Amino acid sequence: MDLRIFTEPQQGASYDTLLTVAKATEDLGFDAFFRSDHYLRMGDGDGLPGPTDAWITLAGLARETSRIRLGTLMTAGTFRLPGVLAIQVAQVDRMSGGRVELGLGAGWFEEEHKAYGIPFPKEKFGRLEEQLEIVTGLWSTKLGETFDFHGTYYDLTGSPALPKPAQDRIPVLIGGHGATRTPRLAARYADEFNMPFSSVEDSERQFGRVRAAAEQAGRGADALTYSNALVVCVGRDDREVARRAAAIGREVDELKANGLAGSPAEVVDRIGRYAGIGSSRIYLQMLDLHDLDHLELISSQVQTQLR
């Protein structure tokens, strides 16, 4: 089971804070550092010092880390034109020496679009499908050849399809709860399917849909990696669990029901239930980015039991 650290910087985090967490992620043996792609905080709090851009952040981290994978859960398709996004991600991949992964979603948080003047189109899923075809098509176009695409929402003519990523294929992540269109898109474009903040039962049901779609597409169900994103709150005893839950404004019982919370043994057991339905990667949503002792505890007493 791979454990990856997943951060939500829109809630309030500077680049220096993210760098500290990313370096701890690397030093403590975790597989990857991922971040959300949002420009407005959610819920309570002031969000200070303000948002950071996902791909600018990852570009900086690409030069200041050496081993961990770097990526987004999920880049919003509404934020960037697909040709520009392909250039940005390919460049960061080269800056990292081939350690980048792209999670791409349709975009959903209308308020952040209003706050920063970003168009929020009604038809987002059709745009996402075209974006996936364009981004992956640009990366896979052979050197010396050009890429053309003429769709409903985007039109590219004679693109040199440069730069190329360092990796032969940048892993693409698709996720979500949609019963029909999401599995179909994952079967066609994704290297990994991620189920965000869902129960074992709901994850198993959605993984089954994606597996069926992959088989129907001729790829085979095991061609994709299946993963979950879950909030994490681990403590050496009940008091420490309660303190960490309070620090992120959550209740312990709710976290145990909907995330990974409790003692290291409880969390290992809970992760084992997700492994039992085919999940091989967990994104640990860390909401208190200043609690590095939490990371160390997970590394020493949870991660070591999953290898």
Side-chain angles (χ1 to χ4, degrees), residues 99-110:
R99 294 183 285 123
V100 158
E101 303 184 12
L102 171 64
L104 186 59
W108 62 270
F109 190 20
E110 186 173 6

Side-chain angles (χ1 to χ4, degrees), residues 254-271:
E254 179 268 323
L255 287 170
K256 286 189 175 184
N258 299 308
L260 301 173
S263 68
E266 287 179 290
V267 170
V268 168
D269 180 69
R270 179 81 166 163
I271 290 174

